[in-house]
Structures are given as structure tokens and as C-alpha cells.
Amino acid sequence: MRTSEYVLGRLGVEPATESVYRALLAHPHASAAELAARTGMTGQEAERALGRLAGLALAHPSTERPGRLYAVSPRLGMDILLARQQAELAAQQQRVEESRAAAARLVSEFATHQHSVADHGVFRVMGADRISDHVREIGTLAEEELQVFAAGQPYPSSAASPRLHEDLLARGIRIRTVCLDSARNDPDAVAHAERLAAAGAEVRTAAVLPTRMVVVDHRSALVFTAGEGATEAAVAVRVPGVVAALSTLFDAVWAAAERLGPPPSRRAADGFTRQHLAALQLLAEGHTDATVARRLGVSARTARRIATDAMTGMKARSRFQAGVLAAQLGYLPASSPEARRTA
């Protein structure tokens, strides 16, 4: 018998059991040995199939031939199988409803625990796992766009995943991500960006980022902060004015950022890269090498090299002099401390 002839699989009947059922319909009261011979099974396989038929109520002990089974008619058999399946579906639906009610109680208890802080539209999320859960939660509610400031990878590593981004893109959600320029030298980051771009995301880089954050639909935001010790922390914000300001900040950085690709092969005409200019500004603001490294997303050694290259390019003997010269030549924005001193 060809596999295509088996029709009872959706009703919970295995092919071997269906073969024995068909053989028993054609040869009422046949013994297990006779059924085995007709179906090409062993005697034990036929015995097991008869047992399953009895369990499904598709076969009953015969009053005419004691010790033998007879198969109920196909019409009655289908009614029995359908009724059994409907009962199982009803039981499954009942379990789903009970699970939904239990989940609602758990969510309500947790919401009550956080009610006082969430009422104000701002609350803290502690730990990488909870942050990841929160991003997935607000991501499922997204209807239009995600705006992301990421440190190295084109998504905050503990807050989201490529799969989440791919799911959102498949739903037609726009995703714009700004990474640090240092990501250009990270093959994994470039590979992630290429996969996301192929799925429809937009990825750019900037020399420095004001913070790490995710903004969803201009309605809610998650801003990463320093936690206690090595614990990652973030602040969830749903205050309309604050979220609007964060979204505007993102748009400003996005406008000045460049599309992520291979490391640039050339520098500007003055010999400075964007990292050099960013390092000059950070040094002019009085930041340490450690802070410069963190803001640029590079090692402390690389940060020192970038700063030294910038100072050498400015022909400055000190960081202060480099800042003054950078302001005089227009490399620093007018609002920077060194620019104000030389005005």
C-alpha cells in the first residue's frame, strides 16, 4: 500500500495501524497471523496494531468469534475518531485558557510591584536578561521604526539580537542604527550590518555616540546607564517630551553619520579622520585617555595613539595647545570650551 493512501494520520492513526484496520475491514475476524501476512508485518507488529485499534475503539471483541476482533464500520470509526479529536482540542483549549489566566495573574503581580515607578513614565531595568526581555517586549509593540545607538555591533549586544531585528524588518518596521566608527574594523560587526542591510535595515557609523539607546516609534525609549559593579542597567522612558528629545538627538547624529562599510582608505584633505577630530574635541573638553577610549569604542592603547596622531598633526606640544589650535582652525564646534576660550 502506498503511503499516499494513508488518510487517518491527521486523526491520530499510524500508517501501520491503518493498514491493519483496512485489512480487518476486508477480512472480518481475521487472526493476527492472517493480518500480518496480508499487511507484510510481523506477528508482533500486527498484535500491537490490533491493540491500538482496540484502544481507539475502532475494533471490538467479536461475539461471533470469541478471541477475535472485528472492525467497526468506516462511518462509525470516523465519528469516533473525530469525537476523540474534538475532545482533545477542547481539553487543549482549556489548558491554554488556564495558562493565559495564570500568566495574567503573574503579570499583574509584577506590574503592581513596579507600579509606583512606572506611573511616572520612567523606571530602571537591571541586568542584561531583563533588558533583553524589555527590548523584545517593546519591539513586539513597534508599528513604525526603531532608532538605535549601538556601541560596537549594529545592535546593543545584551538588548536585542539579529533575529529580533529580522522579525521586525519582516513586519515592515524601519530600523536605523548608528554604531561607532571602530565597528568598521570589526569583521563580525560588518557582517552583522551586511545581513541587516540585506534584510532592509539601515546602518551608519559615527566617531562618538552620546549614549547607547533604543527608541521605538517615538513613543518609548531604553537608555543604557552604568549599573552597580558589572551589572548592566538601563532606564525605560515613556515620557513623551523626553522620548521626542531622544528621537531628535538620534536624527541629528544620523544625519552626520556615514554608511557602515569597510574601513575608509583615505583621510580628509587635512590628514584627520573623524576619530582624530572626535579625540581632539574630547581632549579639549578635559577627558582622560580611558574616557576617550570608551567614547570611541577602542582600546586605551588605540585611544592614546589616535590622540598622539592628532596632536602631531596639529604640531602641538600639549593637549591644551592641540585643543586651542583645533578651535582656531575650526575643527571644534563653536560651543566647545576651547572654541569659547579662543573666541
Side-chain angles (χ1 to χ4, degrees):
M1 183 177 294
R2 298 188 305 274
T3 303
S4 60
E5 295 180 358
Y6 296 120
V7 298
L8 302 183
R10 292 184 179 274
L11 296 175
V13 181
E14 300 172 344
T17 304
E18 182 176 345
S19 293
V20 171
Y21 176 63
R22 288 171 177 268
L24 195 59
L25 284 172
H27 305 279
H29 309 121
S31 66
E34 293 170 339
L35 293 171
R38 294 183 180 279
T39 58
M41 300 181 185
T42 65
Q44 289 183 339
E45 290 172 339
E47 288 282 3
R48 286 195 295 269
L50 286 171
R52 288 193 291 269
L53 288 175
L56 292 170
L58 294 179
H60 294 285
S62 172
T63 55
E64 299 178 15
R65 300 285 298 275
R68 300 288 178 90
L69 294 177
Y70 77 93
V72 301
S73 68
R75 183 182 297 277
L76 178 59
M78 295 310 99
D79 289 343
I80 292 172
L81 292 176
L82 288 171
R84 180 188 297 271
Q85 191 170 63
Q86 288 173 340
E88 291 175 352
L89 289 173
Q92 176 65 18
Q93 183 63 32
Q94 180 64 28
R95 288 193 292 270
V96 170
E97 294 300 328
E98 291 173 355
S99 298
R100 181 179 287 114
R105 289 194 298 270
L106 178 61
V107 170
S108 177
E109 292 173 9
F110 186 72
T112 301
H113 177 69
Q114 290 193 326
H115 188 68
S116 59
V117 290
D119 271 351
H120 301 288
V122 178
F123 59 94
R124 204 167 193 203
V125 185
M126 297 295 297
D129 291 335
R130 286 192 175 180
I131 290 173
S132 180
D133 284 347
H134 185 78
V135 171
R136 282 197 293 269
E137 180 180 339
I138 62 178
T140 58
L141 300 176
E143 297 177 355
E144 298 177 5
E145 180 183 31
L146 254 68
Q147 299 169 311
V148 182
F149 280 157
Q153 303 285 359
Y155 53 88
S157 58
S158 66
S161 67
R163 178 60 183 273
L164 173 62
H165 282 82
E166 290 165 4
D167 291 344
L168 292 173
L169 291 167
R171 286 171 43 205
I173 306 300
R174 184 186 186 190
I175 297 179
R176 289 188 292 162
T177 298
V178 182
C179 313
L180 290 171
D181 280 345
S182 56
R184 295 174 179 273
N185 300 309
D186 182 347
D188 290 337
V190 174
H192 283 311
E194 290 175 346
R195 283 198 295 271
L196 290 176
E202 302 166 67
V203 183
R204 296 184 182 181
T205 70
V208 293
L209 292 175
T211 185
R212 284 198 302 152
M213 71 176 186
V214 179
V215 180
V216 180
D217 288 347
H218 311 283
R219 293 197 307 260
S220 63
L222 188 71
V223 182
F224 289 74
T225 62
E228 299 178 0
T231 302
E232 192 162 10
V235 174
V237 183
R238 295 195 181 112
V239 181
V242 176
V243 176
L246 293 172
S247 183
T248 300
L249 172 63
F250 176 89
D251 285 335
V253 175
W254 176 264
E258 296 181 356
R259 178 181 173 276
L260 176 61
S265 59
R266 61 179 179 82
R267 299 185 176 188
D270 50 28
F272 293 125
T273 65
R274 292 196 306 175
Q275 281 189 324
H276 287 131
L277 300 180
L280 280 172
Q281 182 171 348
L282 292 170
L283 293 176
E285 293 172 356
H287 292 295
T288 63
D289 287 339
T291 301
V292 173
R294 179 171 55 80
R295 294 289 299 276
L296 296 181
V298 298
S299 66
R301 180 178 180 181
T302 301
R304 286 193 294 271
R305 178 180 57 76
I306 293 173
T308 299
D309 287 347
M311 290 169 61
T312 301
M314 297 299 300
K315 298 181 180 178
R317 291 187 295 273
S318 68
R319 296 185 176 197
F320 176 79
Q321 185 182 22
V324 172
L325 293 173
Q328 290 175 342
L329 294 174
Y331 290 129
L332 300 185
S335 60
S336 69
E338 293 303 331
R340 290 197 299 270
R341 291 192 187 102
T342 58

